[in-house]
Amino acid sequence: MSLSRILPIANLIGCLLITGIIVAQWLKERGLDSKINGLSQLLATTRDQYDNQIKHSAALEADVAQLKESIEATVRARKETEDAMAKLIADRDALAAATAASSQTAAQKQTKAWENAIADRDEKIRSLSASLTATRTRLDDAIAKLKAAGAR
């Protein structure tokens, strides 16, 4: 065969070989494109999940801060309540002591007044008793004088 005949056949084989290589690379590229699309979708999903986790984390941090603030407010309110309760108890105890002292003073004054009244009553009874004794003595003397005058 002649060179002019071999060259087109070699050219045809070369073209077929190049076409085969091109088709193989095209198929390989399609497979890689599909993997890239899958990985891109996975990356988008992962980014969405990451964003959601960031938002969730921020919400949890806000909840923790709010909880800490609530606990601090509760502790402050408890301390204020305990202080107010201690003051109230101290005021009540002071009032009870003052009331007891004033009651004791009033009772002492009343007792003193009763003692004075009893002493005055006893004094009146003694004076009336002395007056009665004096009157009885005069009556006895008058009766004795009458008996003596009647016997005469």
Side-chain angles (χ1 to χ4, degrees):
M1 295 210 200
S2 73
L3 188 58
S4 62
R5 263 323 250 156
I6 294 180
L7 205 52
I9 292 177
N11 193 14
L12 178 66
I13 293 174
C15 282
L16 288 175
L17 190 61
I18 289 175
T19 303
I21 291 173
I22 290 173
V23 167
Q25 281 199 341
W26 177 72
L27 289 174
K28 183 180 172 186
E29 199 173 305
R30 266 186 80 188
L32 289 176
D33 278 346
S34 129
K35 282 185 182 180
I36 288 174
N37 285 338
L39 290 175
S40 293
Q41 289 175 352
L42 181 63
L43 178 63
T45 304
T46 305
R47 282 186 179 160
D48 287 342
Q49 288 175 349
Y50 176 74
D51 290 341
N52 289 338
Q53 289 297 325
I54 292 291
K55 289 176 186 176
H56 184 67
S57 174
L60 287 177
E61 286 176 6
D63 288 346
V64 167
Q66 186 178 12
L67 183 61
K68 283 181 182 179
E69 187 177 309
S70 175
I71 289 172
E72 289 172 358
T74 303
V75 168
R76 278 193 308 269
R78 179 175 167 238
K79 182 170 177 11
E80 289 171 0
T81 302
E82 286 175 351
D83 291 345
M85 191 65 134
K87 184 177 185 256
L88 183 63
I89 289 171
D91 289 347
R92 185 200 62 196
D93 290 345
L95 180 62
T99 303
S102 69
S103 294
Q104 185 178 8
T105 303
Q108 286 174 346
K109 286 180 182 178
Q110 187 65 37
T111 304
K112 195 67 153 171
W114 287 344
E115 286 174 355
N116 290 338
I118 289 172
D120 288 345
R121 183 202 65 180
D122 289 347
E123 183 61 35
K124 284 181 183 178
I125 289 173
R126 277 188 216 107
S127 91
L128 287 174
S129 179
S131 174
L132 185 60
T133 304
T135 305
R136 185 173 287 155
T137 304
R138 280 191 326 231
L139 185 59
D140 287 342
D141 285 345
I143 290 174
K145 283 184 188 177
L146 265 170
K147 282 185 181 183
R152 278 193 218 172

PDB file of all heavy atoms in Angstrom, residues 87-101:
ATOM      1  N   LYS A  87     -35.005  43.392 110.419  1.00  0.00           N
ATOM      2  CA  LYS A  87     -35.380  44.697 110.955  1.00  0.00           C
ATOM      3  C   LYS A  87     -36.760  44.626 111.592  1.00  0.00           C
ATOM      4  O   LYS A  87     -36.994  45.178 112.676  1.00  0.00           O
ATOM      5  CB  LYS A  87     -35.372  45.745 109.845  1.00  0.00           C
ATOM      6  CG  LYS A  87     -35.666  47.144 110.350  1.00  0.00           C
ATOM      7  CD  LYS A  87     -35.571  48.169 109.235  1.00  0.00           C
ATOM      8  CE  LYS A  87     -35.755  49.548 109.809  1.00  0.00           C
ATOM      9  NZ  LYS A  87     -37.022  50.111 109.571  1.00  0.00           N
ATOM     10  N   LEU A  88     -37.683  43.936 110.923  1.00  0.00           N
ATOM     11  CA  LEU A  88     -39.037  43.791 111.447  1.00  0.00           C
ATOM     12  C   LEU A  88     -39.018  43.038 112.780  1.00  0.00           C
ATOM     13  O   LEU A  88     -39.697  43.439 113.729  1.00  0.00           O
ATOM     14  CB  LEU A  88     -39.909  43.049 110.432  1.00  0.00           C
ATOM     15  CG  LEU A  88     -41.377  42.861 110.788  1.00  0.00           C
ATOM     16  CD1 LEU A  88     -42.066  44.217 110.907  1.00  0.00           C
ATOM     17  CD2 LEU A  88     -42.063  42.017 109.727  1.00  0.00           C
ATOM     18  N   ILE A  89     -38.227  41.989 112.865  1.00  0.00           N
ATOM     19  CA  ILE A  89     -38.125  41.226 114.110  1.00  0.00           C
ATOM     20  C   ILE A  89     -37.516  42.084 115.206  1.00  0.00           C
ATOM     21  O   ILE A  89     -37.985  42.079 116.351  1.00  0.00           O
ATOM     22  CB  ILE A  89     -37.312  39.935 113.883  1.00  0.00           C
ATOM     23  CG1 ILE A  89     -38.134  38.954 113.044  1.00  0.00           C
ATOM     24  CG2 ILE A  89     -36.913  39.289 115.205  1.00  0.00           C
ATOM     25  CD1 ILE A  89     -37.360  37.739 112.579  1.00  0.00           C
ATOM     26  N   ALA A  90     -36.467  42.854 114.852  1.00  0.00           N
ATOM     27  CA  ALA A  90     -35.840  43.730 115.849  1.00  0.00           C
ATOM     28  C   ALA A  90     -36.837  44.788 116.321  1.00  0.00           C
ATOM     29  O   ALA A  90     -36.918  45.079 117.533  1.00  0.00           O
ATOM     30  CB  ALA A  90     -34.596  44.385 115.251  1.00  0.00           C
ATOM     31  N   ASP A  91     -37.592  45.377 115.384  1.00  0.00           N
ATOM     32  CA  ASP A  91     -38.601  46.376 115.759  1.00  0.00           C
ATOM     33  C   ASP A  91     -39.673  45.750 116.649  1.00  0.00           C
ATOM     34  O   ASP A  91     -40.092  46.339 117.647  1.00  0.00           O
ATOM     35  CB  ASP A  91     -39.263  46.976 114.512  1.00  0.00           C
ATOM     36  CG  ASP A  91     -38.321  47.882 113.734  1.00  0.00           C
ATOM     37  OD1 ASP A  91     -37.258  48.236 114.277  1.00  0.00           O
ATOM     38  OD2 ASP A  91     -38.662  48.229 112.583  1.00  0.00           O
ATOM     39  N   ARG A  92     -40.112  44.546 116.288  1.00  0.00           N
ATOM     40  CA  ARG A  92     -41.127  43.862 117.080  1.00  0.00           C
ATOM     41  C   ARG A  92     -40.608  43.547 118.489  1.00  0.00           C
ATOM     42  O   ARG A  92     -41.308  43.746 119.475  1.00  0.00           O
ATOM     43  CB  ARG A  92     -41.547  42.566 116.385  1.00  0.00           C
ATOM     44  CG  ARG A  92     -42.708  41.878 117.114  1.00  0.00           C
ATOM     45  CD  ARG A  92     -42.830  40.443 116.780  1.00  0.00           C
ATOM     46  NE  ARG A  92     -41.628  39.766 117.208  1.00  0.00           N
ATOM     47  CZ  ARG A  92     -41.264  38.574 116.805  1.00  0.00           C
ATOM     48  NH1 ARG A  92     -41.994  37.930 115.953  1.00  0.00           N
ATOM     49  NH2 ARG A  92     -40.165  38.003 117.233  1.00  0.00           N
ATOM     50  N   ASP A  93     -39.349  43.085 118.561  1.00  0.00           N
ATOM     51  CA  ASP A  93     -38.771  42.788 119.871  1.00  0.00           C
ATOM     52  C   ASP A  93     -38.630  44.054 120.705  1.00  0.00           C
ATOM     53  O   ASP A  93     -38.903  44.044 121.914  1.00  0.00           O
ATOM     54  CB  ASP A  93     -37.405  42.109 119.716  1.00  0.00           C
ATOM     55  CG  ASP A  93     -37.523  40.686 119.171  1.00  0.00           C
ATOM     56  OD1 ASP A  93     -38.651  40.138 119.179  1.00  0.00           O
ATOM     57  OD2 ASP A  93     -36.487  40.132 118.739  1.00  0.00           O
ATOM     58  N   ALA A  94     -38.208  45.160 120.057  1.00  0.00           N
ATOM     59  CA  ALA A  94     -38.082  46.429 120.776  1.00  0.00           C
ATOM     60  C   ALA A  94     -39.456  46.898 121.260  1.00  0.00           C
ATOM     61  O   ALA A  94     -39.602  47.370 122.402  1.00  0.00           O
ATOM     62  CB  ALA A  94     -37.445  47.484 119.878  1.00  0.00           C
ATOM     63  N   LEU A  95     -40.466  46.765 120.413  1.00  0.00           N
ATOM     64  CA  LEU A  95     -41.818  47.162 120.787  1.00  0.00           C
ATOM     65  C   LEU A  95     -42.328  46.286 121.933  1.00  0.00           C
ATOM     66  O   LEU A  95     -42.936  46.787 122.882  1.00  0.00           O
ATOM     67  CB  LEU A  95     -42.762  47.053 119.580  1.00  0.00           C
ATOM     68  CG  LEU A  95     -44.221  47.440 119.830  1.00  0.00           C
ATOM     69  CD1 LEU A  95     -44.319  48.903 120.246  1.00  0.00           C
ATOM     70  CD2 LEU A  95     -45.044  47.186 118.578  1.00  0.00           C
ATOM     71  N   ALA A  96     -42.048  44.989 121.854  1.00  0.00           N
ATOM     72  CA  ALA A  96     -42.481  44.078 122.926  1.00  0.00           C
ATOM     73  C   ALA A  96     -41.777  44.441 124.230  1.00  0.00           C
ATOM     74  O   ALA A  96     -42.412  44.443 125.298  1.00  0.00           O
ATOM     75  CB  ALA A  96     -42.179  42.629 122.543  1.00  0.00           C
ATOM     76  N   ALA A  97     -40.489  44.760 124.150  1.00  0.00           N
ATOM     77  CA  ALA A  97     -39.757  45.141 125.357  1.00  0.00           C
ATOM     78  C   ALA A  97     -40.304  46.452 125.916  1.00  0.00           C
ATOM     79  O   ALA A  97     -40.484  46.586 127.141  1.00  0.00           O
ATOM     80  CB  ALA A  97     -38.270  45.278 125.042  1.00  0.00           C
ATOM     81  N   ALA A  98     -40.574  47.418 125.028  1.00  0.00           N
ATOM     82  CA  ALA A  98     -41.121  48.702 125.480  1.00  0.00           C
ATOM     83  C   ALA A  98     -42.512  48.494 126.081  1.00  0.00           C
ATOM     84  O   ALA A  98     -42.843  49.083 127.122  1.00  0.00           O
ATOM     85  CB  ALA A  98     -41.181  49.690 124.315  1.00  0.00           C
ATOM     86  N   THR A  99     -43.312  47.663 125.448  1.00  0.00           N
ATOM     87  CA  THR A  99     -44.660  47.389 125.957  1.00  0.00           C
ATOM     88  C   THR A  99     -44.577  46.694 127.312  1.00  0.00           C
ATOM     89  O   THR A  99     -45.321  47.042 128.241  1.00  0.00           O
ATOM     90  CB  THR A  99     -45.441  46.515 124.957  1.00  0.00           C
ATOM     91  OG1 THR A  99     -45.483  47.183 123.704  1.00  0.00           O
ATOM     92  CG2 THR A  99     -46.838  46.248 125.441  1.00  0.00           C
ATOM     93  N   ALA A 100     -43.667  45.746 127.426  1.00  0.00           N
ATOM     94  CA  ALA A 100     -43.503  45.042 128.704  1.00  0.00           C
ATOM     95  C   ALA A 100     -43.030  46.012 129.782  1.00  0.00           C
ATOM     96  O   ALA A 100     -43.514  45.969 130.926  1.00  0.00           O
ATOM     97  CB  ALA A 100     -42.511  43.896 128.548  1.00  0.00           C
ATOM     98  N   ALA A 101     -42.092  46.896 129.424  1.00  0.00           N
ATOM     99  CA  ALA A 101     -41.581  47.865 130.399  1.00  0.00           C
ATOM    100  C   ALA A 101     -42.695  48.823 130.823  1.00  0.00           C
ATOM    101  O   ALA A 101     -42.848  49.114 132.021  1.00  0.00           O
ATOM    102  CB  ALA A 101     -40.409  48.635 129.806  1.00  0.00           C
TER     103      ALA A 101
END
